[in-house]
Amino acid sequence: MLGLANRQDCSSMLLCFGCWNDRRAESGYGSETSLRRHGSMLSLTSAASALSSASTSSFKKGHRLREKLAEMETFRDILCRQVDTLQKYFDNCADTVSKDEFQRDREVEEDEDDFPSSTRPNGEYNHNNNGSKEKLFSPASPKSMNGIDFKGEAITFKATTAGILSTLSHCIELMVKREDSWQKRLERELEKRRRVEDAYKSAVYELKKKTHYGGPDYEEGPNSLINEDEFFDAVEAALDRQDKIEEQCQSEKVRIPRLSVSPGDVYSTIGTHRFASKVEEMVQKHMTYSLQDVGGDANWQLVIEEGEMKVYRREVEENGIVLDPLKATHAVKGVTGHEVCHYFWDTAVRMDWETTIENFNVVETLSDTAIIVYQTHKRVWPASQRDVLYLSAIRKILATNENDPDTWLVCNFSVDHDNAQPTNRCVRAKINVAMICQTLVSPPEGDKEINRDNILCKITYVANVNPGGWAPASVLRAVAKREYPKFLKRFTSYVQDKTAGKPILF
């Protein structure tokens, strides 16, 4: 009765999949080996393509997959019941075989008791071959086992598995089609996300340009909201703007150069002002250490080389502040060391070549060769504005050997003064700078006079600057690498232009 009930449950399914069983052999599902041969998902989809072609339009509705999954649930319940039925059949078969063997063993023992064997002279037993061993036990009929029709159950089991395979193929094809749709949706979402990110970046960039972005929270300091890369980009942009403005201003400047020269012996004297001993100490240090070779244990690193100009640097930090000493060497034709140092020291022409200064004033004149200067530098946002108060002295160092040239030197180093105290508006920087020049002369042929083609000025420029503040180290190093070579080229070109066609000042 259970088998009949299962067949009734599957009657509608057999009608639906009768045609499918005929196609199954053609599509690769006729045997176990063919299943292994077509084991991929695409092969299963291809095998059920004939059945699914009629319902292609239903894929677009989005309900077909749920219907097929519901069919899979139904098939699972039917298959579970059929498996239980077949298992009962196999259990009954096993019990019947066990009972038959037990019954047969008992009958054999009874036959041996009824027909005892006779003993031969040699002690062997003679068994009667006409005993119960020749009796045939007819096997139990499958239909007699609890009314289970094994053949019918096998047919319905086969149909159920076929239905499961068909429905599974439908599900796979549906999922493949859904996967294409999902992929397109994913691509659309990714494109939307990309557009939103681009719009966000554009909005942030525009926000940076607005006035409120230059507020105190975005300026230089330990709690600045600008990261190091943004800080660097902002400084670079500001310096580029200043360069363009300076180029325009230089073309409009028409200044008559003033070259007032004091007596030669004034530059060779130490002086009598209150900073005289400090000036002499700094001059001797520069003559001793600044002119030393960059090789050996000095640890100077070459960072820029452009023609005759070479720029070296040593990386030094103290409490997170960059104190990198910088040293540059250069050779300039047509000018003397006296001329170079004069234009570097004379405040009357300072604004002609110095592009980083906003304003300056001479706080005190110590002597004809020494002054105290206060100057503020142009602010480069987001860095804070810097100012510096320094003593500037010009000296001529006579050569100890007649074959060596004299040395001209301008030494600038920070000092304190009551008339220029630090303020909250600027960060006070500390400097120790020296411009050291020597003039080399190539004697002209014959009795010709020395002209500017016969002179060459060797320049050594050293700078030790403590910028103070909280600017990132990478930004300070990048600015120094950019600005110092630019300054040296600009200044030496300025001296060449101002001295061209004028008498040589040795």
Side-chain angles (χ1 to χ4, degrees):
M1 295 301 293
L2 182 57
L4 181 60
N6 290 332
R7 287 197 300 276
Q8 290 176 350
D9 291 337
C10 298
S11 60
S12 59
M13 178 271 298
L14 287 172
L15 292 175
C16 294
F17 298 104
C19 296
W20 188 88
N21 287 328
D22 295 336
R23 295 191 182 103
R24 185 164 52 89
E26 299 175 1
S27 60
Y29 291 99
S31 65
E32 183 180 354
T33 56
S34 65
L35 279 175
R36 286 196 294 267
R37 187 172 64 253
H38 301 284
S40 68
M41 183 179 293
L42 293 177
S43 298
L44 290 173
T45 305
S46 301
S49 60
L51 281 175
S52 61
S53 60
S55 58
T56 303
S57 61
S58 64
F59 295 151
K60 301 179 181 179
K61 298 179 181 179
H63 303 294
R64 192 66 175 169
L65 184 60
R66 288 193 291 270
E67 294 175 1
K68 290 299 178 182
L69 291 176
E71 290 182 10
M72 291 287 288
E73 291 288 337
T74 303
F75 283 134
R76 185 192 65 177
D77 296 339
I78 295 173
L79 189 61
C80 289
R81 291 198 297 271
Q82 290 174 344
V83 169
D84 292 339
T85 301
L86 292 175
Q87 186 62 47
K88 290 178 181 178
Y89 177 83
F90 294 141
D91 292 342
N92 290 335
C93 288
D95 292 341
T96 301
V97 171
S98 298
K99 290 178 181 179
D100 289 344
E101 290 179 352
F102 179 75
Q103 183 65 25
R104 185 174 57 188
D105 291 341
R106 288 188 59 186
E107 291 180 358
V108 169
E109 291 177 357
E110 291 177 356
D111 289 344
E112 289 178 353
D113 293 338
D114 293 340
F115 303 98
S117 59
S118 58
T119 305
R120 294 183 180 181
N122 56 2
E124 295 179 356
Y125 289 93
N126 183 18
H127 296 278
N128 185 3
N129 293 329
N130 294 324
S132 61
K133 288 184 179 180
E134 297 177 355
K135 185 176 180 180
L136 299 177
F137 296 93
S138 59
S141 175
K143 291 184 179 180
S144 64
M145 297 182 180
N146 297 328
I148 299 175
D149 183 1
F150 178 75
K151 185 176 181 180
E153 291 294 337
I155 292 173
T156 56
F157 183 82
K158 184 177 181 181
T160 304
T161 55
I164 290 176
L165 290 175
S166 176
T167 306
L168 183 59
S169 298
H170 276 279
C171 293
I172 292 171
E173 186 171 355
L174 285 168
M175 286 187 286
V176 169
K177 290 183 178 292
R178 286 287 184 86
E179 184 179 4
D180 294 338
S181 175
W182 293 334
Q183 183 65 30
K184 292 179 181 178
R185 290 180 60 184
L186 176 61
E187 292 175 356
R188 289 196 296 270
E189 291 298 326
L190 290 176
E191 180 63 21
K192 290 181 181 179
R193 178 178 178 178
R194 186 189 64 79
R195 289 198 297 267
V196 170
E197 289 178 349
D198 291 343
Y200 171 76
K201 291 179 181 178
S202 299
V204 172
Y205 179 76
E206 292 297 328
L207 186 63
K208 290 180 180 179
K209 295 181 178 180
K210 295 183 179 180
T211 305
H212 75 274
Y213 192 72
D217 291 338
Y218 292 92
E219 296 177 0
E220 175 186 341
N223 301 315
S224 175
L225 297 183
I226 291 183
N227 60 39
E228 192 166 321
D229 292 337
E230 292 173 334
F231 198 104
F232 179 82
D233 293 340
V235 169
E236 282 283 312
L239 291 175
D240 290 339
R241 288 193 298 270
Q242 288 186 7
D243 289 343
K244 292 180 180 179
I245 295 173
E246 182 59 29
E247 290 176 2
Q248 296 175 357
C249 294
Q250 284 295 123
S251 62
E252 298 173 359
K253 283 182 180 179
V254 179
R255 181 188 291 268
I256 299 175
R258 182 179 69 87
L259 191 59
S260 59
V261 181
S262 301
D265 58 346
V266 174
Y267 296 111
S268 302
T269 59
I270 298 176
T272 57
H273 52 83
R274 65 182 185 279
F275 288 102
S277 60
K278 183 65 175 178
V279 170
E280 185 63 19
E281 177 186 350
M282 300 300 292
V283 167
Q284 293 303 321
K285 284 184 178 180
H286 283 299
M287 291 297 297
T288 302
Y289 300 108
S290 298
L291 294 178
Q292 286 182 346
D293 188 61
V294 295
D297 298 331
N299 294 324
W300 288 103
Q301 300 175 6
L302 180 64
V303 293
I304 292 178
E305 182 175 3
E306 297 181 7
E308 294 292 335
M309 182 176 62
K310 297 180 180 179
V311 180
Y312 303 87
R313 181 180 67 197
R314 285 203 311 261
E315 292 190 0
V316 177
E317 287 190 32
E318 184 177 315
N319 298 324
I321 299 177
V322 175
L323 305 176
D324 295 354
L326 183 140
K327 182 175 183 177
T329 60
H330 198 16
V332 184
K333 291 183 178 181
V335 297
T336 65
H338 187 180
E339 292 169 336
V340 172
C341 287
H342 170 78
Y343 281 104
F344 186 73
W345 179 78
D346 191 0
T347 58
V349 296
R350 177 71 50 85
M351 300 301 292
D352 289 350
W353 56 266
E354 179 61 89
T355 61
T356 65
I357 294 178
E358 184 177 77
N359 55 64
F360 78 96
N361 65 286
V362 177
V363 177
E364 183 180 353
T365 300
L366 300 174
S367 67
D368 291 339
T369 59
I371 56 177
I372 296 177
V373 179
Y374 172 78
Q375 66 187 29
T376 58
H377 291 263
K378 295 176 182 177
R379 185 189 177 193
V380 181
W381 186 89
S384 301
Q385 189 174 21
R386 260 68 175 178
D387 64 357
V388 61
L389 178 68
Y390 62 94
L391 186 152
S392 181
I394 183 172
R395 288 284 306 276
K396 178 182 179 181
I397 311 298
L398 300 177
T400 57
N401 189 326
E402 62 179 9
N403 295 324
D404 294 334
D406 295 336
T407 301
W408 284 85
L409 179 146
V410 175
C411 179
N412 298 337
F413 58 92
S414 292
V415 293
D416 295 325
H417 200 282
D418 294 338
N419 295 336
Q421 296 294 328
T423 64
N424 295 329
R425 189 173 65 89
C426 297
V427 175
R428 179 63 56 90
K430 302 293 184 180
I431 66 170
N432 182 9
V433 176
M435 177 74 74
I436 308 171
C437 302
Q438 294 177 329
T439 305
L440 304 180
V441 180
S442 299
E445 297 180 358
D447 296 333
K448 294 181 179 180
E449 293 184 359
I450 296 176
N451 57 36
R452 293 194 176 273
D453 294 333
N454 303 125
I455 58 177
L456 177 70
C457 181
K458 292 183 63 177
I459 299 175
T460 300
Y461 177 78
V462 293
N464 293 271
V465 179
N466 182 348
W470 293 86
S474 61
V475 176
L476 292 175
R477 290 191 171 109
V479 171
K481 184 178 178 180
R482 165 181 168 150
E483 292 300 313
Y484 279 113
K486 187 189 300 182
F487 145 74
L488 198 55
K489 288 191 295 184
R490 181 176 63 248
F491 172 69
T492 54
S493 297
Y494 169 81
V495 176
Q496 285 177 318
D497 292 340
K498 294 305 178 183
T499 56
K502 295 181 175 59
I504 300 175
L505 182 63
F506 287 100

